[in-house]
mmCIF file of all heavy atoms in Angstrom:
data_model
loop_
_atom_site.group_PDB
_atom_site.id
_atom_site.type_symbol
_atom_site.label_atom_id
_atom_site.label_comp_id
_atom_site.label_asym_id
_atom_site.label_seq_id
_atom_site.Cartn_x
_atom_site.Cartn_y
_atom_site.Cartn_z
ATOM 1 N N VAL A 76 -111.322 -53.688 -238.171
ATOM 2 C CA VAL A 76 -112.583 -53.933 -238.893
ATOM 3 C C VAL A 76 -112.881 -52.746 -239.808
ATOM 4 O O VAL A 76 -113.219 -52.919 -240.986
ATOM 5 C CB VAL A 76 -113.751 -54.130 -237.902
ATOM 6 C CG1 VAL A 76 -115.073 -54.290 -238.644
ATOM 7 C CG2 VAL A 76 -113.517 -55.329 -236.994
ATOM 8 N N THR A 77 -112.750 -51.545 -239.257
ATOM 9 C CA THR A 77 -113.053 -50.331 -240.030
ATOM 10 C C THR A 77 -112.166 -50.234 -241.266
ATOM 11 O O THR A 77 -112.647 -49.951 -242.369
ATOM 12 C CB THR A 77 -112.835 -49.084 -239.142
ATOM 13 O OG1 THR A 77 -113.648 -49.205 -237.979
ATOM 14 C CG2 THR A 77 -113.198 -47.810 -239.882
ATOM 15 N N GLU A 78 -110.877 -50.471 -241.070
ATOM 16 C CA GLU A 78 -109.948 -50.363 -242.213
ATOM 17 C C GLU A 78 -110.283 -51.392 -243.284
ATOM 18 O O GLU A 78 -110.249 -51.091 -244.477
ATOM 19 C CB GLU A 78 -108.508 -50.548 -241.732
ATOM 20 C CG GLU A 78 -108.013 -49.371 -240.910
ATOM 21 C CD GLU A 78 -106.671 -49.644 -240.226
ATOM 22 O OE1 GLU A 78 -106.422 -50.803 -239.818
ATOM 23 O OE2 GLU A 78 -105.894 -48.691 -240.100
ATOM 24 N N ARG A 79 -110.617 -52.590 -242.850
ATOM 25 C CA ARG A 79 -110.973 -53.624 -243.837
ATOM 26 C C ARG A 79 -112.231 -53.206 -244.596
ATOM 27 O O ARG A 79 -112.326 -53.378 -245.809
ATOM 28 C CB ARG A 79 -111.186 -54.967 -243.133
ATOM 29 C CG ARG A 79 -109.900 -55.525 -242.552
ATOM 30 C CD ARG A 79 -110.115 -56.842 -241.813
ATOM 31 N NE ARG A 79 -109.008 -57.066 -240.879
ATOM 32 C CZ ARG A 79 -108.516 -58.254 -240.566
ATOM 33 N NH1 ARG A 79 -109.031 -59.353 -241.085
ATOM 34 N NH2 ARG A 79 -107.516 -58.363 -239.717
ATOM 35 N N ALA A 80 -113.208 -52.678 -243.844
ATOM 36 C CA ALA A 80 -114.458 -52.255 -244.497
ATOM 37 C C ALA A 80 -114.189 -51.132 -245.486
ATOM 38 O O ALA A 80 -114.759 -51.091 -246.571
ATOM 39 C CB ALA A 80 -115.466 -51.820 -243.446
ATOM 40 N N GLN A 81 -113.297 -50.219 -245.093
ATOM 41 C CA GLN A 81 -113.015 -49.091 -245.985
ATOM 42 C C GLN A 81 -112.270 -49.532 -247.249
ATOM 43 O O GLN A 81 -112.314 -48.849 -248.265
ATOM 44 C CB GLN A 81 -112.240 -48.014 -245.224
ATOM 45 C CG GLN A 81 -113.150 -47.284 -244.222
ATOM 46 C CD GLN A 81 -112.425 -46.329 -243.305
ATOM 47 O OE1 GLN A 81 -111.190 -46.334 -243.236
ATOM 48 N NE2 GLN A 81 -113.176 -45.527 -242.562
ATOM 49 N N LEU A 82 -111.614 -50.697 -247.155
ATOM 50 C CA LEU A 82 -110.983 -51.252 -248.355
ATOM 51 C C LEU A 82 -112.002 -51.981 -249.237
ATOM 52 O O LEU A 82 -111.704 -52.347 -250.371
ATOM 53 C CB LEU A 82 -109.866 -52.229 -247.962
ATOM 54 C CG LEU A 82 -108.581 -51.606 -247.404
ATOM 55 C CD1 LEU A 82 -107.660 -52.691 -246.860
ATOM 56 C CD2 LEU A 82 -107.876 -50.804 -248.493
ATOM 57 N N GLY A 83 -113.191 -52.240 -248.673
ATOM 58 C CA GLY A 83 -114.233 -52.869 -249.487
ATOM 59 C C GLY A 83 -114.606 -54.274 -249.057
ATOM 60 O O GLY A 83 -115.204 -55.028 -249.825
ATOM 61 N N LEU A 84 -114.272 -54.648 -247.830
ATOM 62 C CA LEU A 84 -114.618 -55.976 -247.327
ATOM 63 C C LEU A 84 -115.706 -55.817 -246.263
ATOM 64 O O LEU A 84 -115.590 -54.967 -245.385
ATOM 65 C CB LEU A 84 -113.361 -56.604 -246.727
ATOM 66 C CG LEU A 84 -113.328 -58.083 -246.422
ATOM 67 C CD1 LEU A 84 -111.867 -58.531 -246.305
ATOM 68 C CD2 LEU A 84 -114.048 -58.456 -245.161
ATOM 69 N N THR A 85 -116.737 -56.604 -246.355
ATOM 70 C CA THR A 85 -117.766 -56.509 -245.314
ATOM 71 C C THR A 85 -118.378 -57.873 -245.041
ATOM 72 O O THR A 85 -118.103 -58.846 -245.761
ATOM 73 C CB THR A 85 -118.844 -55.463 -245.663
ATOM 74 O OG1 THR A 85 -119.579 -55.137 -244.473
ATOM 75 C CG2 THR A 85 -119.819 -55.973 -246.709
ATOM 76 N N LEU A 86 -119.175 -57.904 -243.985
ATOM 77 C CA LEU A 86 -119.733 -59.180 -243.517
ATOM 78 C C LEU A 86 -121.206 -59.006 -243.172
ATOM 79 O O LEU A 86 -121.584 -58.042 -242.507
ATOM 80 C CB LEU A 86 -118.959 -59.634 -242.264
ATOM 81 C CG LEU A 86 -119.546 -60.758 -241.413
ATOM 82 C CD1 LEU A 86 -119.592 -62.073 -242.195
ATOM 83 C CD2 LEU A 86 -118.715 -60.958 -240.133
ATOM 84 N N ALA A 87 -122.009 -59.958 -243.622
ATOM 85 C CA ALA A 87 -123.399 -60.047 -243.151
ATOM 86 C C ALA A 87 -123.428 -61.154 -242.110
ATOM 87 O O ALA A 87 -123.211 -62.331 -242.435
ATOM 88 C CB ALA A 87 -124.332 -60.366 -244.302
ATOM 89 N N TRP A 88 -123.654 -60.752 -240.854
ATOM 90 C CA TRP A 88 -123.619 -61.710 -239.746
ATOM 91 C C TRP A 88 -124.739 -62.753 -239.874
ATOM 92 O O TRP A 88 -125.822 -62.456 -240.403
ATOM 93 C CB TRP A 88 -123.780 -60.991 -238.422
ATOM 94 C CG TRP A 88 -122.508 -60.597 -237.746
ATOM 95 C CD1 TRP A 88 -121.957 -61.199 -236.656
ATOM 96 C CD2 TRP A 88 -121.614 -59.522 -238.062
ATOM 97 N NE1 TRP A 88 -120.780 -60.559 -236.293
ATOM 98 C CE2 TRP A 88 -120.549 -59.543 -237.140
ATOM 99 C CE3 TRP A 88 -121.604 -58.556 -239.071
ATOM 100 C CZ2 TRP A 88 -119.503 -58.634 -237.180
ATOM 101 C CZ3 TRP A 88 -120.556 -57.659 -239.111
ATOM 102 C CH2 TRP A 88 -119.521 -57.691 -238.184
ATOM 103 N N GLN A 89 -124.453 -63.935 -239.338
ATOM 104 C CA GLN A 89 -125.465 -64.997 -239.357
ATOM 105 C C GLN A 89 -126.707 -64.575 -238.559
ATOM 106 O O GLN A 89 -127.828 -64.779 -238.996
ATOM 107 C CB GLN A 89 -124.859 -66.269 -238.772
ATOM 108 C CG GLN A 89 -125.766 -67.471 -238.880
ATOM 109 C CD GLN A 89 -125.102 -68.724 -238.322
ATOM 110 O OE1 GLN A 89 -123.901 -68.729 -238.037
ATOM 111 N NE2 GLN A 89 -125.861 -69.770 -238.169
ATOM 112 N N ASN A 90 -126.471 -64.034 -237.376
ATOM 113 C CA ASN A 90 -127.576 -63.492 -236.570
ATOM 114 C C ASN A 90 -127.306 -62.003 -236.380
ATOM 115 O O ASN A 90 -126.645 -61.600 -235.426
ATOM 116 C CB ASN A 90 -127.660 -64.181 -235.207
ATOM 117 C CG ASN A 90 -127.977 -65.645 -235.362
ATOM 118 O OD1 ASN A 90 -128.989 -66.009 -235.941
ATOM 119 N ND2 ASN A 90 -127.083 -66.498 -234.878
ATOM 120 N N PRO A 91 -127.806 -61.196 -237.266
ATOM 121 C CA PRO A 91 -127.419 -59.780 -237.243
ATOM 122 C C PRO A 91 -127.864 -59.064 -235.970
ATOM 123 O O PRO A 91 -128.900 -59.395 -235.391
ATOM 124 C CB PRO A 91 -128.142 -59.193 -238.461
ATOM 125 C CG PRO A 91 -128.573 -60.348 -239.281
ATOM 126 C CD PRO A 91 -128.740 -61.504 -238.355
ATOM 127 N N ALA A 92 -127.071 -58.094 -235.583
ATOM 128 C CA ALA A 92 -127.375 -57.297 -234.380
ATOM 129 C C ALA A 92 -128.617 -56.439 -234.619
ATOM 130 O O ALA A 92 -128.959 -56.120 -235.755
ATOM 131 C CB ALA A 92 -126.182 -56.399 -234.053
ATOM 132 N N ARG A 93 -129.254 -56.077 -233.528
ATOM 133 C CA ARG A 93 -130.435 -55.196 -233.575
ATOM 134 C C ARG A 93 -130.038 -53.838 -233.016
ATOM 135 O O ARG A 93 -129.201 -53.762 -232.105
ATOM 136 C CB ARG A 93 -131.560 -55.769 -232.716
ATOM 137 C CG ARG A 93 -131.830 -57.246 -232.949
ATOM 138 C CD ARG A 93 -132.815 -57.439 -234.044
ATOM 139 N NE ARG A 93 -133.087 -58.844 -234.318
ATOM 140 C CZ ARG A 93 -134.204 -59.257 -234.894
ATOM 141 N NH1 ARG A 93 -135.143 -58.396 -235.212
ATOM 142 N NH2 ARG A 93 -134.373 -60.534 -235.154
ATOM 143 N N PHE A 94 -130.663 -52.793 -233.528
ATOM 144 C CA PHE A 94 -130.308 -51.438 -233.098
ATOM 145 C C PHE A 94 -131.572 -50.659 -232.754
ATOM 146 O O PHE A 94 -132.325 -50.269 -233.650
ATOM 147 C CB PHE A 94 -129.538 -50.719 -234.204
ATOM 148 C CG PHE A 94 -128.247 -51.389 -234.557
ATOM 149 C CD1 PHE A 94 -128.185 -52.306 -235.589
ATOM 150 C CD2 PHE A 94 -127.104 -51.131 -233.827
ATOM 151 C CE1 PHE A 94 -127.003 -52.947 -235.911
ATOM 152 C CE2 PHE A 94 -125.912 -51.759 -234.133
ATOM 153 C CZ PHE A 94 -125.857 -52.676 -235.177
ATOM 154 N N GLU A 95 -131.789 -50.468 -231.472
ATOM 155 C CA GLU A 95 -132.961 -49.735 -231.010
ATOM 156 C C GLU A 95 -132.956 -48.317 -231.572
ATOM 157 O O GLU A 95 -131.957 -47.602 -231.467
ATOM 158 C CB GLU A 95 -132.945 -49.689 -229.475
ATOM 159 C CG GLU A 95 -134.156 -49.033 -228.874
ATOM 160 C CD GLU A 95 -134.139 -49.103 -227.346
ATOM 161 O OE1 GLU A 95 -133.330 -49.851 -226.778
ATOM 162 O OE2 GLU A 95 -134.948 -48.396 -226.735
ATOM 163 N N GLY A 96 -134.053 -47.936 -232.188
ATOM 164 C CA GLY A 96 -134.226 -46.553 -232.635
ATOM 165 C C GLY A 96 -133.495 -46.182 -233.914
ATOM 166 O O GLY A 96 -133.603 -45.047 -234.366
ATOM 167 N N LEU A 97 -132.736 -47.095 -234.505
ATOM 168 C CA LEU A 97 -132.001 -46.755 -235.730
ATOM 169 C C LEU A 97 -132.871 -47.107 -236.941
ATOM 170 O O LEU A 97 -133.144 -48.281 -237.191
ATOM 171 C CB LEU A 97 -130.673 -47.524 -235.780
ATOM 172 C CG LEU A 97 -129.808 -47.302 -237.019
ATOM 173 C CD1 LEU A 97 -129.381 -45.843 -237.142
ATOM 174 C CD2 LEU A 97 -128.562 -48.190 -236.975
ATOM 175 N N PRO A 98 -133.303 -46.112 -237.694
ATOM 176 C CA PRO A 98 -134.180 -46.408 -238.832
ATOM 177 C C PRO A 98 -133.467 -47.238 -239.900
ATOM 178 O O PRO A 98 -132.255 -47.087 -240.110
ATOM 179 C CB PRO A 98 -134.536 -45.025 -239.387
ATOM 180 C CG PRO A 98 -134.237 -44.068 -238.295
ATOM 181 C CD PRO A 98 -133.100 -44.671 -237.522
ATOM 182 N N VAL A 99 -134.239 -48.072 -240.575
ATOM 183 C CA VAL A 99 -133.685 -48.912 -241.639
ATOM 184 C C VAL A 99 -132.981 -48.038 -242.679
ATOM 185 O O VAL A 99 -131.884 -48.368 -243.148
ATOM 186 C CB VAL A 99 -134.805 -49.757 -242.294
ATOM 187 C CG1 VAL A 99 -134.318 -50.417 -243.572
ATOM 188 C CG2 VAL A 99 -135.320 -50.808 -241.305
ATOM 189 N N ALA A 100 -133.594 -46.900 -243.020
ATOM 190 C CA ALA A 100 -132.995 -46.019 -244.041
ATOM 191 C C ALA A 100 -131.597 -45.579 -243.614
ATOM 192 O O ALA A 100 -130.650 -45.598 -244.417
ATOM 193 C CB ALA A 100 -133.882 -44.810 -244.280
ATOM 194 N N ASP A 101 -131.453 -45.200 -242.346
ATOM 195 C CA ASP A 101 -130.139 -44.754 -241.853
ATOM 196 C C ASP A 101 -129.154 -45.912 -241.831
ATOM 197 O O ASP A 101 -127.966 -45.739 -242.122
ATOM 198 C CB ASP A 101 -130.259 -44.172 -240.438
ATOM 199 C CG ASP A 101 -131.030 -42.857 -240.425
ATOM 200 O OD1 ASP A 101 -131.533 -42.452 -241.488
ATOM 201 O OD2 ASP A 101 -131.146 -42.255 -239.344
ATOM 202 N N TYR A 102 -129.645 -47.085 -241.468
ATOM 203 C CA TYR A 102 -128.772 -48.253 -241.402
ATOM 204 C C TYR A 102 -128.237 -48.616 -242.794
ATOM 205 O O TYR A 102 -127.051 -48.872 -242.972
ATOM 206 C CB TYR A 102 -129.542 -49.431 -240.801
ATOM 207 C CG TYR A 102 -128.703 -50.666 -240.596
ATOM 208 C CD1 TYR A 102 -127.643 -50.660 -239.711
ATOM 209 C CD2 TYR A 102 -128.973 -51.832 -241.297
ATOM 210 C CE1 TYR A 102 -126.864 -51.794 -239.530
ATOM 211 C CE2 TYR A 102 -128.210 -52.969 -241.119
ATOM 212 C CZ TYR A 102 -127.154 -52.944 -240.235
ATOM 213 O OH TYR A 102 -126.383 -54.057 -240.054
ATOM 214 N N LEU A 103 -129.121 -48.600 -243.768
ATOM 215 C CA LEU A 103 -128.698 -48.930 -245.129
ATOM 216 C C LEU A 103 -127.701 -47.898 -245.648
ATOM 217 O O LEU A 103 -126.777 -48.227 -246.391
ATOM 218 C CB LEU A 103 -129.900 -48.963 -246.074
ATOM 219 C CG LEU A 103 -130.971 -50.026 -245.824
ATOM 220 C CD1 LEU A 103 -132.072 -49.903 -246.864
ATOM 221 C CD2 LEU A 103 -130.382 -51.422 -245.857
ATOM 222 N N ALA A 104 -127.898 -46.645 -245.234
ATOM 223 C CA ALA A 104 -127.075 -45.561 -245.774
ATOM 224 C C ALA A 104 -125.656 -45.560 -245.218
ATOM 225 O O ALA A 104 -124.769 -44.918 -245.780
ATOM 226 C CB ALA A 104 -127.745 -44.221 -245.475
ATOM 227 N N LEU A 105 -125.417 -46.293 -244.124
ATOM 228 C CA LEU A 105 -124.127 -46.191 -243.431
ATOM 229 C C LEU A 105 -122.922 -46.410 -244.340
ATOM 230 O O LEU A 105 -121.949 -45.686 -244.274
ATOM 231 C CB LEU A 105 -124.072 -47.196 -242.273
ATOM 232 C CG LEU A 105 -124.946 -46.871 -241.066
ATOM 233 C CD1 LEU A 105 -124.861 -47.993 -240.045
ATOM 234 C CD2 LEU A 105 -124.514 -45.555 -240.444
ATOM 235 N N GLY A 106 -122.991 -47.445 -245.150
ATOM 236 C CA GLY A 106 -121.808 -47.770 -245.956
ATOM 237 C C GLY A 106 -121.908 -47.287 -247.386
ATOM 238 O O GLY A 106 -121.091 -47.659 -248.224
#
Side-chain angles (χ1 to χ4, degrees):
Chain A
V76 176
T77 303
E78 289 170 325
R79 293 178 201 213
Q81 288 173 348
L82 287 171
L84 194 161
T85 197
L86 166 65
W88 267 255
Q89 186 178 349
N90 296 302
R93 312 272 179 157
F94 298 94
E95 184 176 347
L97 178 62
V99 168
D101 292 4
Y102 184 64
L103 296 180
L105 288 176

